Amino acid sequence: MNRAPILHSDGRYVRAKSVWRATRIALACFVSIVLAGAVFAAPASAIPPRGEKGDLSIVLLSGRTDTVTGGDVLIRVVGRIAKQATITLNGAEVASVRKRSSGHVEGIVSGLQFGANTIAAETKHARDEITVDN
């Protein structure tokens, strides 16, 4: 490695070792700032991707998801913002699910098709869904 002096911008000469050290420190600071910005810049209002629950959770009360029969199922939606949730069955809104005073939403979802059906609870800020087999 060439250890020749390097001309600094203010006209003085510095050794290559001190310039290399300053470059490493500046790079470490830059990386730290970028990583901190990435952590704090995530939007708080973003809807979580499919499968992430956020503040909602759908609980199946009438059995397991793979043993549903008869075309209807009893569900409960729990969470901090459950009362604001819109419940859908295969993309169509379900009107038979009622909001309860205890902070959750409960009701019978009817009209399940033969095979896999998706029940979803969604607000502006959270989403959860389950797939039940009829």
Side-chain angles (χ1 to χ4, degrees), residues 66-132:
D66 61 341
T67 60
V68 174
T69 59
D72 55 5
V73 65
L74 179 63
I75 66 160
R76 177 182 291 160
V77 180
V78 295
R80 195 169 47 93
I81 55 175
K83 287 187 176 184
Q84 302 166 5
T86 301
I87 313 302
T88 60
L89 169 63
N90 298 326
E93 190 170 341
V94 177
S96 62
V97 178
R98 304 282 182 230
K99 293 158 179 52
R100 305 285 182 189
S101 61
S102 59
H104 62 268
V105 177
E106 190 173 290
I108 296 176
V109 177
S110 300
L112 280 89
Q113 302 169 356
F114 182 74
N117 294 273
T118 302
I119 300 171
E122 185 172 1
T123 67
K124 237 161 89 171
H125 304 289
R127 175 181 172 85
D128 187 27
E129 68 180 37
I130 60 172
T131 301
V132 296

Side-chain angles (χ1 to χ4, degrees), residues 18-32:
S18 62
V19 170
W20 190 241
R21 183 179 301 146
T23 303
R24 287 190 319 205
I25 292 171
L27 183 61
C29 290
F30 176 75
V31 169
S32 299

Side-chain angles (χ1 to χ4, degrees), residues 40-70:
F40 294 112
S45 64
I47 295 176
R50 291 178 88 116
E52 288 191 23
K53 295 186 179 187
D55 287 331
L56 289 177
S57 183
I58 300 175
V59 180
L60 193 65
L61 300 176
S62 60
R64 297 188 336 227
T65 59
D66 61 341
T67 60
V68 174
T69 59

